[in-house]
Each structure stands twice: as C-alpha cells, then as structure tokens.
C-alpha cells in the first residue's frame, strides 16, 4: 500500500534521537506491564483490538495500548524528537522504515526464531529499503498488499465487458462505460496519497525495477523514465467523475459501494471498507494492465505492515511475547482474513474468492515492488503528483520530481 504514514524524517532528526537516548513508553502498575503499540493503519484498528484482547487474555500481566492517531506522520515524528519511541510498531515497509533501521533505534531480529517463518523474498524487499551497509533484520514483514483495479462485477456484466488484460483493452472498457453513461473510474484525489495507487502500478511496470538505484547513481531520471507513466496518468483522469479532487478516500469507498462507478483504482485494503458499506456487493480485482503485453503486466505488491520494536524498550521480553503471538500462523491468518490482505508468513494464504483475479500473480511471482517505497523519505511525491494532475504540466512535474528527490538526498 502506498502508506498513509508518508515518509517524514531526516537522518539528522533520527540520529539526534539516538544521541540523546530513546525512551520507552512501557510502564507497569500492580505487576502489569503496559506496552505502547503504534500503527499507521486506521483500517486495521478493529482487527488489532480483537487480537490484542486475545493476547491479553493469554498474558494477563501484559497490557497493550493501541495508538493509531489520525496524523500518524506528525505524531511519530514528534515522539522521535522527544525520545519517546513506542515499544512496538506496526508500520509500512517504506523509506520511513529504512531510515529508522539505519538510525539504529530498532531491534535486530536476526537471531529470533520468528524470523525464519517469513518468506525470504519479503525480508529481501525490506532489507533493500535499509541499504547494503546496515546489517541485520530490523523489521518483520507481516502483511503484504497489492495495488489493483477493483471492479463492480454486476456493472461489468451489464456493459457486456470482460476483464481487460492489456492497456488498449482497459481504455476501450473505460470508453464503453463512459458511453453508457457510467462513471468509469471513481477518483478520490482530495487525499493526495490515493493518486499514488495508479502511479505505482504504472511506474512499477514501466520505469524499471532498478529505477531508484539508478536514479541515485545519476543513470535515470523521472524526465526520462516516467514520461509514459505521466501521459497515462492524465489519460486515466479523463475517465473520472465531475469532482475528482473534491472527494476523499472514505467517501470514495462509500460511493463505489453505492455503484457510482465501474472501476476503482485502489488496493486490497479498500475492500473491507467497501463491503462494510455494501456487504452484498460483488467485487472483483485485476492487475492494472499498463502495457499491451499481458506477460509484462505485473501486480504491484509490497510489505504493508512490518512488526518491529524499540531497541531501548524497558520491556523487551514482554514486547517479544506480543510479536511472537502476532507471528503465529493462526493470528496471521485472522489478520489477513479480516483485512483482505496477504501474508508474508509462510503457509498462510489468502483464500477469499474476491482475489481470484490476482491469485495467479502471487503463485507465479508476477509481482513488482511499490516504486514509491524506494523514494527518499520526505520527498512528498503524493503532493507533487496531485499538483500535476490538477495543472497537467508534465514537464514541470517530472522536473520537480527529479529536483525534490535530489534535494532530499542532499540534506
């Protein structure tokens, strides 16, 4: 998922936290240890509450305080600068995690038994975020996600359409939906991060897997590698509704649930929210076909949640107990079932039939990483993209993306 906990920190801020010593929020009263569990995923609050209740029944001497603030970026940044890092964290596998790991504030799980239960490919994915100079495993990939095209099965059938497997077929489907008086795509660009969903699908398939590394070496640029993705973003925008920039994510979920569009460019995390609004809705998903070669249209997937803990927590043993509980197969299976997510843990599979359209991608490895997970922390790509979609100045947009990348790296 493009994480709503957008990248925030700088190495200077994080290093300062280390130099002055990280505090722990774990307290105790009447023999009970309290641990602070921070998450950036508001969608997962109910699931976490249920899992925490089960853990506390099994461990009456440990209380888990769930912290899921609406402005997670600001809150976590403030806590870092105040040397008040949470005991436990469930955060996205993105550049923010990479900075935290490089700063040395996270526990190294290399020697922990739970690490061996994780699919190695996801360990490699998060290790790339940290970089080759930092050794160890500082975060445990837990839940994975995917960007996809969610569609209304009833509407697709009414329009006589089949699931497209090429870009041209997708555009033709959008045209037919529009001609029939339907809204082809429901955009929610009031929340800038939602624009990154199609952007990542396009970039993940068209810009090259090594774009970030090549960009840092001066061998690639947005101006050169993202020209076609930028054009296709503008083309998709033509199939939105009358207020693409006036509707936010939550309202978009409800609108799509009411049948106000045929397609919805989102991730698997939106499906529980849509079904809450309309439990009887028949949904399907497919990878956005961004090229005219079906074999080249990979599903963009990444680590949506990784579990980690503060290296300086005063209650490391109790914190590890909670992590071990979360990593159990039955716990992980419950999480992905409720969140319509996928698991990074071996032998835990997503069986919901709604995902039939992307099941093969996981089975045959036709996957691409989220490009923006490798963007420099603090770049603000979602806001730059939102601005581009509003003013449609492609050259200025690509130039700004290059400049902001370099500006952050030069700090």
């Amino acid at each position: 998922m493009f994480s709503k906990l957008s990248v925030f920190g700088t190495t200077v801020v994080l290093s300062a936290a280390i130099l002055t010593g990280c505090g722990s929020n774990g307290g105790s009263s009447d023999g009970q240890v309290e641990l602070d569990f921070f998450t950036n995923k508001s969608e997962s609050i109910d699931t976490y509450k249920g899992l925490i209740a089960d853990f506390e029944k099994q461990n009456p001497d440990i209380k888990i305080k769930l912290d899921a603030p609406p402005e997670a970026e600001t809150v976590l940044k403030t806590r870092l600068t105040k040397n008040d890092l949470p005991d436990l964290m469930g955060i996205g596998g993105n550049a923010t995690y990479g900075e935290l790991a490089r700063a040395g504030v996270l526990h190294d799980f290399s020697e922990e038994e739970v690490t061996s239960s994780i699919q190695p490919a996801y360990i490699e994915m998060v290790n790339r975020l940290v970089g080759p100079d930092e050794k160890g495993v500082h975060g445990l990939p837990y839940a994975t996600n995917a960007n996809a095209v969610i569609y209304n099965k009833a509407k697709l059938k009414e329009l006589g359409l089949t699931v497209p497997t090429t870009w041209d077929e997708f555009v033709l489907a959008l045209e037919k939906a529009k001609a029939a008086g339907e809204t082809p795509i429901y955009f929610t660009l009031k929340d800038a991060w939602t624009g990154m969903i199609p952007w990542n699908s396009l970039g993940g398939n068209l810009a090259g897997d090594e774009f970030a590394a090549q960009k840092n070496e001066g061998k690639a640029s947005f101006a050169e590698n993202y020209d076609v993705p930028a054009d296709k973003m503008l083309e998709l925008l033509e199939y939105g509704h009358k207020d693409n920039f006036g509707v936010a994510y939550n309202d978009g979920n409800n609108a799509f649930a009411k049948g106000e569009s045929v397609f919805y460019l989102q991730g698997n995390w939106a499906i529980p929210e849509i079904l809450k609004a309309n439990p009887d809705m028949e949904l399907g998903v497919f990878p956005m076909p961004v090229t005219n070669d079906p074999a080249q249209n990979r599903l963009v997937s990444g680590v949506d949640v990784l579990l980690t803990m503060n290296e300086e927590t005063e209650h490391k043993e109790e914190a590890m107990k909670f992590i071990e509980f979360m990593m159990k197969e039955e716990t992980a299976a419950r999480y992905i079932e409720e969140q319509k997510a996928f698991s990074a843990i071996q032998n835990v599979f997503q069986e919901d039939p709604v995902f039939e359209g992307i099941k093969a991608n996981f089975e045959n490895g036709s996957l691409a990483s989220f490009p923006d997970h490798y963007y420099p922390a603090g770049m603000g790509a979602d806001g730059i993209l939102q601005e581009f979609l509003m003013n449609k100045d492609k050259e200025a947009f690509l130039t700004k993306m290059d400049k902001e990348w370099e500006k952050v790296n030069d700090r």
Side-chain angles (χ1 to χ4, degrees):
M1 168 183 182
F2 173 76
S3 175
K4 284 183 276 187
L5 170 55
S6 56
V7 291
F8 59 83
T10 66
T11 302
V12 173
V13 171
L14 296 174
S15 297
I18 298 167
L19 290 172
T20 53
C22 287
S24 171
N25 224 36
S28 62
S29 62
D30 299 326
Q32 188 179 55
V33 170
E34 181 175 289
L35 300 174
D36 187 5
F37 177 42
F38 181 97
T39 176
N40 64 298
K41 285 187 65 63
S42 59
E43 302 98 329
S44 301
I45 290 175
D46 288 343
T47 295
Y48 280 134
K49 284 181 177 178
L51 295 176
I52 287 170
D54 286 351
F55 173 78
E56 290 178 343
K57 285 179 184 176
Q58 298 172 26
N59 299 273
D61 57 335
I62 305 173
K63 180 175 177 57
I64 304 294
K65 177 186 174 185
L66 180 64
D67 186 10
E71 296 295 333
E73 171 186 350
T74 302
V75 172
L76 193 52
K77 179 178 179 179
T78 300
R79 293 190 64 167
L80 279 165
T81 57
K82 290 183 177 181
N83 312 315
D84 183 33
L85 198 68
D87 300 287
L88 295 155
M89 286 157 275
I91 58 177
N94 56 21
T96 297
Y97 160 71
E99 284 206 358
L100 287 166
R102 286 192 298 274
V105 297
L106 304 178
H107 179 65
D108 182 2
F109 296 90
S110 298
E111 303 302 318
E112 307 289 352
E113 187 176 344
V114 291
T115 307
S116 63
S117 67
I118 301 168
Q119 295 183 45
Y122 288 114
I123 293 284
E124 293 171 11
M125 193 177 289
V126 296
N127 282 351
R128 286 202 301 273
L129 292 163
V130 182
D133 297 331
E134 183 68 31
K135 306 302 179 184
V137 177
H138 301 282
L140 303 172
Y142 187 65
T144 67
N145 58 13
N147 285 350
V149 181
I150 304 172
Y151 66 97
N152 184 321
K153 283 189 172 182
K155 285 189 178 292
L156 207 69
K157 186 176 181 179
E158 288 170 10
L159 294 168
L161 297 172
T162 56
V163 172
T165 60
T166 69
W167 174 259
D168 286 349
E169 289 176 0
F170 187 36
V171 172
L172 182 60
L174 297 173
E175 285 285 355
K176 287 185 176 180
K178 191 173 183 178
E182 297 280 359
T183 296
I185 301 171
Y186 206 94
F187 285 104
T188 56
L189 295 169
K190 183 176 182 179
D191 284 330
W193 69 268
T194 64
M196 297 299 292
I197 308 302
W199 179 251
N200 276 331
S201 293
L202 290 163
N205 284 285
L206 298 173
D209 292 338
E210 301 303 319
F211 173 78
Q214 292 173 351
K215 169 67 178 167
N216 287 330
E217 294 171 1
K219 297 177 181 177
S221 68
F222 283 98
E224 293 178 2
N225 296 63
Y226 273 86
D227 185 71
V228 173
D231 284 337
K232 291 192 173 186
M233 278 295 298
L234 291 179
E235 189 171 357
L236 290 173
L237 199 62
E238 296 175 11
Y239 298 101
H241 50 91
K242 294 179 180 179
D243 195 16
N244 290 330
F245 299 94
V247 179
Y249 169 69
N250 290 331
D251 292 328
N253 291 338
N254 291 328
F256 185 71
K258 293 176 183 175
E260 294 185 22
S261 75
V262 181
F263 301 106
Y264 193 40
L265 308 182
Q266 258 301 337
N268 56 282
W269 55 85
I271 290 175
E273 304 304 309
I274 295 167
L275 294 177
K276 279 181 187 176
N278 184 356
D280 298 323
M281 190 173 191
E282 286 192 79
L283 299 175
V285 298
F286 60 89
M288 184 191 289
V290 303
T291 78
N292 283 324
D293 179 359
Q296 298 300 316
N297 294 325
R298 298 173 297 169
L299 180 74
V300 171
S301 175
V303 177
D304 187 39
V305 177
L306 59 78
L307 301 175
T308 187
M309 70 176 176
N310 179 359
E311 176 62 15
E312 299 299 324
T313 178
E314 296 174 5
H315 303 286
K316 192 166 286 186
E317 182 179 345
E318 291 84 355
M320 271 305 304
K321 271 191 179 181
F322 180 70
I323 287 176
E324 288 167 354
F325 166 81
M326 291 292 290
M327 297 292 288
K328 289 180 178 178
E329 288 185 11
E330 57 267 33
T331 310
R334 176 177 167 184
Y335 182 94
I336 67 166
E337 180 183 352
E338 293 186 15
Q339 290 300 306
K340 305 300 181 189
F342 310 95
S343 184
I345 296 172
Q346 299 179 56
N347 303 317
V348 180
F349 304 105
Q350 176 54 261
E351 302 293 349
D352 194 311
V354 73
F355 296 112
E356 187 63 32
I358 59 176
K359 186 178 180 181
N361 292 82
F362 288 100
E363 292 175 346
N364 62 28
S366 182
L367 303 169
S369 296
F370 283 87
D372 70 307
H373 283 190
Y374 301 91
Y375 291 4
M379 180 179 161
D382 56 337
I384 304 171
L385 177 65
Q386 182 190 52
E387 179 184 45
F388 161 58
L389 296 176
M390 286 178 173
N391 63 33
K392 300 178 173 57
D393 188 337
K394 182 177 72 171
E395 184 177 349
F397 162 63
L398 295 174
T399 298
K400 187 170 184 178
M401 290 285 277
D402 279 321
K403 287 183 176 178
E404 289 302 312
W405 182 299
E406 290 147 19
K407 184 189 298 182
V408 173
N409 276 351
D410 289 342
R411 287 175 186 167

